[in-house]
Short mmCIF file of all heavy atoms in Angstrom, two decimals:
data_model
loop_
_atom_site.label_atom_id
_atom_site.label_comp_id
_atom_site.label_asym_id
_atom_site.label_seq_id
_atom_site.Cartn_x
_atom_site.Cartn_y
_atom_site.Cartn_z
N ASP I 278 93.46 -29.55 -29.83
CA ASP I 278 94.58 -30.41 -29.44
C ASP I 278 94.15 -31.86 -29.28
O ASP I 278 94.96 -32.77 -29.23
CB ASP I 278 95.18 -29.91 -28.11
CG ASP I 278 94.15 -29.89 -26.99
OD1 ASP I 278 92.94 -29.91 -27.28
OD2 ASP I 278 94.57 -29.86 -25.82
N SER I 279 92.87 -32.09 -29.15
CA SER I 279 92.39 -33.44 -28.90
C SER I 279 91.02 -33.62 -29.54
O SER I 279 90.45 -32.67 -30.08
CB SER I 279 92.28 -33.68 -27.39
OG SER I 279 91.35 -32.78 -26.84
N CYS I 280 90.54 -34.84 -29.43
CA CYS I 280 89.24 -35.08 -30.02
C CYS I 280 88.51 -36.16 -29.23
O CYS I 280 89.13 -36.98 -28.55
CB CYS I 280 89.59 -35.37 -31.47
SG CYS I 280 88.81 -36.47 -32.40
N GLU I 281 87.18 -36.08 -29.21
CA GLU I 281 86.37 -37.06 -28.49
C GLU I 281 85.49 -37.81 -29.46
O GLU I 281 84.85 -37.20 -30.33
CB GLU I 281 85.49 -36.37 -27.44
CG GLU I 281 86.23 -36.03 -26.18
CD GLU I 281 85.34 -35.39 -25.11
OE1 GLU I 281 84.11 -35.28 -25.32
OE2 GLU I 281 85.90 -34.98 -24.09
N TRP I 282 85.47 -39.12 -29.32
CA TRP I 282 84.66 -39.97 -30.19
C TRP I 282 83.58 -40.62 -29.33
O TRP I 282 83.89 -41.16 -28.27
CB TRP I 282 85.52 -41.07 -30.80
CG TRP I 282 86.74 -40.60 -31.52
CD1 TRP I 282 88.01 -40.62 -31.03
CD2 TRP I 282 86.82 -40.08 -32.85
NE1 TRP I 282 88.89 -40.13 -31.98
CE2 TRP I 282 88.18 -39.79 -33.11
CE3 TRP I 282 85.88 -39.82 -33.85
CZ2 TRP I 282 88.63 -39.25 -34.31
CZ3 TRP I 282 86.33 -39.29 -35.05
CH2 TRP I 282 87.68 -39.02 -35.28
N LEU I 283 82.36 -40.58 -29.81
CA LEU I 283 81.27 -41.25 -29.10
C LEU I 283 80.91 -42.52 -29.86
O LEU I 283 80.58 -42.47 -31.06
CB LEU I 283 80.06 -40.33 -28.98
CG LEU I 283 78.93 -40.87 -28.13
CD1 LEU I 283 79.35 -40.95 -26.66
CD2 LEU I 283 77.68 -40.01 -28.28
N PHE I 284 80.99 -43.65 -29.17
CA PHE I 284 80.70 -44.95 -29.79
C PHE I 284 79.44 -45.55 -29.17
O PHE I 284 79.05 -45.20 -28.04
CB PHE I 284 81.84 -45.94 -29.51
CG PHE I 284 83.08 -45.69 -30.32
CD1 PHE I 284 84.06 -44.81 -29.88
CD2 PHE I 284 83.28 -46.37 -31.52
CE1 PHE I 284 85.22 -44.60 -30.62
CE2 PHE I 284 84.44 -46.16 -32.27
CZ PHE I 284 85.40 -45.27 -31.82
N GLU I 285 78.85 -46.52 -29.91
CA GLU I 285 77.81 -47.34 -29.33
C GLU I 285 78.39 -48.73 -29.13
O GLU I 285 78.85 -49.36 -30.10
CB GLU I 285 76.61 -47.40 -30.29
CG GLU I 285 75.43 -48.15 -29.72
CD GLU I 285 74.28 -48.17 -30.71
OE1 GLU I 285 74.46 -48.71 -31.82
OE2 GLU I 285 73.22 -47.62 -30.37
N GLY I 286 78.40 -49.20 -27.85
CA GLY I 286 79.02 -50.48 -27.51
C GLY I 286 78.10 -51.65 -27.83
O GLY I 286 76.97 -51.45 -28.29
N PRO I 287 78.54 -52.88 -27.52
CA PRO I 287 77.79 -54.09 -27.86
C PRO I 287 76.40 -54.14 -27.22
O PRO I 287 75.47 -54.68 -27.80
CB PRO I 287 78.66 -55.23 -27.34
CG PRO I 287 79.87 -54.63 -26.74
CD PRO I 287 79.84 -53.16 -26.88
N GLY I 288 76.23 -53.56 -26.02
CA GLY I 288 74.92 -53.55 -25.37
C GLY I 288 74.20 -52.23 -25.59
O GLY I 288 73.41 -51.83 -24.75
N GLU I 289 74.52 -51.53 -26.68
CA GLU I 289 73.97 -50.22 -27.04
C GLU I 289 74.35 -49.12 -26.06
O GLU I 289 73.77 -48.04 -26.07
CB GLU I 289 72.43 -50.28 -27.17
CG GLU I 289 71.99 -51.18 -28.30
CD GLU I 289 70.49 -51.06 -28.60
OE1 GLU I 289 69.80 -50.32 -27.89
OE2 GLU I 289 70.06 -51.70 -29.56
N GLU I 290 75.32 -49.40 -25.14
CA GLU I 290 75.75 -48.35 -24.22
C GLU I 290 76.65 -47.34 -24.95
O GLU I 290 77.29 -47.69 -25.94
CB GLU I 290 76.48 -48.94 -23.01
CG GLU I 290 77.83 -49.56 -23.28
CD GLU I 290 77.74 -50.97 -23.86
OE1 GLU I 290 76.68 -51.34 -24.40
OE2 GLU I 290 78.75 -51.68 -23.81
N ARG I 291 76.65 -46.10 -24.47
CA ARG I 291 77.50 -45.06 -25.05
C ARG I 291 78.91 -45.16 -24.47
O ARG I 291 79.07 -45.31 -23.25
CB ARG I 291 76.94 -43.67 -24.73
CG ARG I 291 75.58 -43.41 -25.36
CD ARG I 291 75.75 -43.23 -26.87
NE ARG I 291 74.51 -42.87 -27.53
CZ ARG I 291 73.69 -43.74 -28.13
NH1 ARG I 291 73.96 -45.03 -28.11
NH2 ARG I 291 72.62 -43.32 -28.75
N ILE I 292 79.92 -45.09 -25.34
CA ILE I 292 81.32 -45.19 -24.92
C ILE I 292 82.06 -43.98 -25.46
O ILE I 292 82.01 -43.70 -26.66
CB ILE I 292 81.99 -46.45 -25.52
CG1 ILE I 292 81.19 -47.71 -25.21
CG2 ILE I 292 83.45 -46.56 -25.09
CD1 ILE I 292 81.52 -48.42 -23.96
N LEU I 293 82.72 -43.26 -24.55
CA LEU I 293 83.45 -42.06 -24.95
C LEU I 293 84.95 -42.37 -25.00
O LEU I 293 85.49 -42.97 -24.06
CB LEU I 293 83.18 -40.95 -23.92
CG LEU I 293 83.67 -39.56 -24.25
CD1 LEU I 293 82.89 -38.98 -25.43
CD2 LEU I 293 83.52 -38.65 -23.03
N VAL I 294 85.60 -41.96 -26.10
CA VAL I 294 87.05 -42.15 -26.23
C VAL I 294 87.68 -40.80 -26.47
O VAL I 294 87.20 -40.02 -27.30
CB VAL I 294 87.38 -43.09 -27.42
CG1 VAL I 294 88.90 -43.29 -27.54
CG2 VAL I 294 86.68 -44.43 -27.25
N ARG I 295 88.76 -40.50 -25.74
CA ARG I 295 89.45 -39.21 -25.90
C ARG I 295 90.85 -39.49 -26.44
O ARG I 295 91.55 -40.35 -25.91
CB ARG I 295 89.54 -38.51 -24.55
CG ARG I 295 89.74 -37.04 -24.63
CD ARG I 295 89.50 -36.39 -23.27
NE ARG I 295 88.10 -36.32 -22.91
CZ ARG I 295 87.62 -36.62 -21.70
NH1 ARG I 295 88.40 -37.03 -20.75
NH2 ARG I 295 86.33 -36.51 -21.46
N GLU I 296 91.22 -38.77 -27.52
CA GLU I 296 92.52 -38.99 -28.17
C GLU I 296 93.21 -37.67 -28.40
O GLU I 296 92.54 -36.68 -28.74
CB GLU I 296 92.31 -39.57 -29.57
CG GLU I 296 92.20 -41.03 -29.68
CD GLU I 296 92.23 -41.48 -31.14
OE1 GLU I 296 91.49 -40.93 -31.98
OE2 GLU I 296 92.99 -42.38 -31.43
N LEU I 297 94.54 -37.65 -28.31
CA LEU I 297 95.28 -36.46 -28.72
C LEU I 297 95.25 -36.40 -30.23
O LEU I 297 95.25 -37.43 -30.90
CB LEU I 297 96.73 -36.55 -28.23
CG LEU I 297 96.95 -36.17 -26.77
CD1 LEU I 297 98.42 -36.32 -26.43
CD2 LEU I 297 96.49 -34.75 -26.49
N GLY I 298 95.26 -35.19 -30.80
CA GLY I 298 95.21 -35.04 -32.25
C GLY I 298 93.83 -35.36 -32.78
O GLY I 298 92.87 -35.46 -32.01
N ALA I 299 93.70 -35.50 -34.09
CA ALA I 299 92.39 -35.78 -34.69
C ALA I 299 92.56 -36.69 -35.90
O ALA I 299 92.50 -36.25 -37.04
CB ALA I 299 91.73 -34.46 -35.10
N PRO I 300 92.79 -37.98 -35.65
CA PRO I 300 92.97 -38.90 -36.77
C PRO I 300 91.69 -39.00 -37.61
O PRO I 300 90.60 -38.70 -37.12
CB PRO I 300 93.26 -40.24 -36.10
CG PRO I 300 93.31 -40.00 -34.64
CD PRO I 300 92.81 -38.65 -34.36
N ASP I 301 91.88 -39.42 -38.85
CA ASP I 301 90.75 -39.55 -39.78
C ASP I 301 89.99 -40.83 -39.44
O ASP I 301 90.56 -41.91 -39.46
CB ASP I 301 91.34 -39.62 -41.20
CG ASP I 301 90.29 -39.27 -42.22
OD1 ASP I 301 89.24 -38.71 -41.83
OD2 ASP I 301 90.51 -39.57 -43.41
N ARG I 302 88.73 -40.71 -39.08
CA ARG I 302 87.92 -41.91 -38.79
C ARG I 302 86.56 -41.73 -39.43
O ARG I 302 86.10 -40.62 -39.66
CB ARG I 302 87.76 -42.11 -37.29
CG ARG I 302 89.08 -42.23 -36.56
CD ARG I 302 88.88 -42.80 -35.17
NE ARG I 302 90.14 -42.79 -34.43
CZ ARG I 302 91.11 -43.67 -34.60
NH1 ARG I 302 90.99 -44.63 -35.50
NH2 ARG I 302 92.21 -43.59 -33.90
N GLN I 303 85.90 -42.87 -39.64
CA GLN I 303 84.67 -42.86 -40.42
C GLN I 303 83.44 -43.05 -39.51
O GLN I 303 83.33 -44.08 -38.83
CB GLN I 303 84.75 -44.02 -41.42
CG GLN I 303 84.00 -43.79 -42.69
CD GLN I 303 84.10 -45.05 -43.55
OE1 GLN I 303 85.14 -45.72 -43.62
NE2 GLN I 303 83.00 -45.38 -44.21
N LEU I 304 82.56 -42.07 -39.51
CA LEU I 304 81.34 -42.19 -38.69
C LEU I 304 80.49 -43.33 -39.25
O LEU I 304 80.43 -43.54 -40.46
CB LEU I 304 80.55 -40.88 -38.72
CG LEU I 304 81.22 -39.67 -38.07
CD1 LEU I 304 80.27 -38.46 -38.07
CD2 LEU I 304 81.69 -39.96 -36.65
N GLY I 305 79.84 -44.08 -38.37
CA GLY I 305 78.98 -45.18 -38.79
C GLY I 305 79.70 -46.51 -38.86
O GLY I 305 79.07 -47.57 -38.86
N ARG I 306 81.05 -46.49 -38.91
CA ARG I 306 81.83 -47.73 -39.03
C ARG I 306 82.06 -48.38 -37.67
O ARG I 306 82.00 -47.71 -36.64
CB ARG I 306 83.20 -47.35 -39.62
CG ARG I 306 83.79 -48.39 -40.56
CD ARG I 306 85.29 -48.18 -40.73
NE ARG I 306 86.01 -49.11 -39.86
CZ ARG I 306 87.33 -49.25 -39.85
NH1 ARG I 306 88.09 -48.49 -40.63
NH2 ARG I 306 87.92 -50.11 -39.06
N GLU I 307 82.29 -49.67 -37.67
CA GLU I 307 82.64 -50.38 -36.43
C GLU I 307 84.15 -50.38 -36.24
O GLU I 307 84.89 -50.60 -37.19
CB GLU I 307 82.15 -51.82 -36.50
CG GLU I 307 80.88 -52.02 -35.75
CD GLU I 307 80.63 -53.49 -35.39
OE1 GLU I 307 81.53 -54.33 -35.58
OE2 GLU I 307 79.53 -53.77 -34.92
N TYR I 308 84.59 -50.14 -35.02
CA TYR I 308 86.02 -50.19 -34.69
C TYR I 308 86.19 -51.12 -33.49
O TYR I 308 85.25 -51.34 -32.72
CB TYR I 308 86.53 -48.80 -34.30
CG TYR I 308 86.67 -47.84 -35.47
CD1 TYR I 308 85.59 -47.07 -35.87
CD2 TYR I 308 87.88 -47.70 -36.14
CE1 TYR I 308 85.71 -46.18 -36.93
CE2 TYR I 308 88.01 -46.81 -37.21
CZ TYR I 308 86.93 -46.06 -37.60
OH TYR I 308 87.06 -45.19 -38.65
N ALA I 309 87.43 -51.63 -33.33
CA ALA I 309 87.74 -52.42 -32.14
C ALA I 309 88.30 -51.48 -31.08
O ALA I 309 89.08 -50.57 -31.39
CB ALA I 309 88.77 -53.49 -32.48
N LEU I 310 87.88 -51.65 -29.82
CA LEU I 310 88.39 -50.82 -28.73
C LEU I 310 89.15 -51.72 -27.75
O LEU I 310 88.72 -52.84 -27.44
CB LEU I 310 87.24 -50.12 -27.99
CG LEU I 310 86.39 -49.16 -28.83
CD1 LEU I 310 85.34 -48.49 -27.96
CD2 LEU I 310 87.25 -48.11 -29.51
N ASP I 311 90.28 -51.18 -27.25
CA ASP I 311 91.14 -51.96 -26.36
C ASP I 311 91.50 -51.12 -25.14
O ASP I 311 91.42 -49.88 -25.20
CB ASP I 311 92.42 -52.36 -27.11
CG ASP I 311 93.05 -53.62 -26.50
OD1 ASP I 311 92.44 -54.19 -25.56
OD2 ASP I 311 94.13 -54.01 -26.96
N TYR I 312 91.88 -51.78 -24.06
CA TYR I 312 92.35 -51.07 -22.86
C TYR I 312 93.17 -52.01 -22.02
O TYR I 312 93.08 -53.23 -22.17
CB TYR I 312 91.16 -50.51 -22.05
CG TYR I 312 90.16 -51.54 -21.63
CD1 TYR I 312 90.34 -52.29 -20.47
CD2 TYR I 312 89.01 -51.75 -22.39
CE1 TYR I 312 89.41 -53.24 -20.09
CE2 TYR I 312 88.08 -52.71 -22.01
CZ TYR I 312 88.28 -53.45 -20.86
OH TYR I 312 87.36 -54.39 -20.49
N ASP I 313 93.97 -51.41 -21.13
CA ASP I 313 94.77 -52.18 -20.18
C ASP I 313 93.91 -52.39 -18.93
O ASP I 313 93.52 -51.41 -18.28
CB ASP I 313 96.04 -51.36 -19.86
CG ASP I 313 96.93 -52.05 -18.84
OD1 ASP I 313 96.47 -53.03 -18.21
OD2 ASP I 313 98.06 -51.58 -18.66
N PRO I 314 93.62 -53.65 -18.57
CA PRO I 314 92.74 -53.89 -17.41
C PRO I 314 93.27 -53.27 -16.11
O PRO I 314 92.51 -53.09 -15.16
CB PRO I 314 92.69 -55.41 -17.30
CG PRO I 314 93.21 -55.94 -18.58
CD PRO I 314 94.08 -54.90 -19.21
N ALA I 315 94.56 -52.91 -16.06
CA ALA I 315 95.10 -52.27 -14.85
C ALA I 315 94.39 -50.94 -14.60
O ALA I 315 94.42 -50.43 -13.48
CB ALA I 315 96.60 -52.04 -15.01
N PHE I 316 93.78 -50.36 -15.62
CA PHE I 316 93.12 -49.06 -15.47
C PHE I 316 91.61 -49.16 -15.26
O PHE I 316 90.91 -48.15 -15.32
CB PHE I 316 93.44 -48.15 -16.66
CG PHE I 316 94.88 -47.72 -16.69
CD1 PHE I 316 95.74 -48.19 -17.67
CD2 PHE I 316 95.38 -46.89 -15.71
CE1 PHE I 316 97.08 -47.81 -17.68
CE2 PHE I 316 96.72 -46.51 -15.70
CZ PHE I 316 97.57 -46.98 -16.69
N LEU I 317 91.12 -50.37 -15.01
CA LEU I 317 89.69 -50.50 -14.69
C LEU I 317 89.42 -49.85 -13.34
O LEU I 317 90.22 -49.98 -12.41
CB LEU I 317 89.28 -51.98 -14.65
CG LEU I 317 89.17 -52.65 -16.03
CD1 LEU I 317 89.05 -54.15 -15.88
CD2 LEU I 317 87.96 -52.10 -16.79
#
Side-chain angles (χ1 to χ4, degrees):
D278 59 341
S279 61
C280 144
E281 280 182 5
W282 306 101
L283 186 68
F284 285 87
E285 185 180 61
E289 296 190 356
E290 68 281 19
R291 296 288 185 264
I292 307 270
L293 189 68
V294 180
R295 201 167 286 136
E296 272 190 311
L297 280 179
D301 200 15
R302 303 196 185 282
Q303 210 183 322
L304 295 185
R306 215 199 99 175
E307 259 200 9
Y308 287 88
L310 299 183
D311 204 4
Y312 57 84
D313 178 348
F316 291 111
L317 285 168

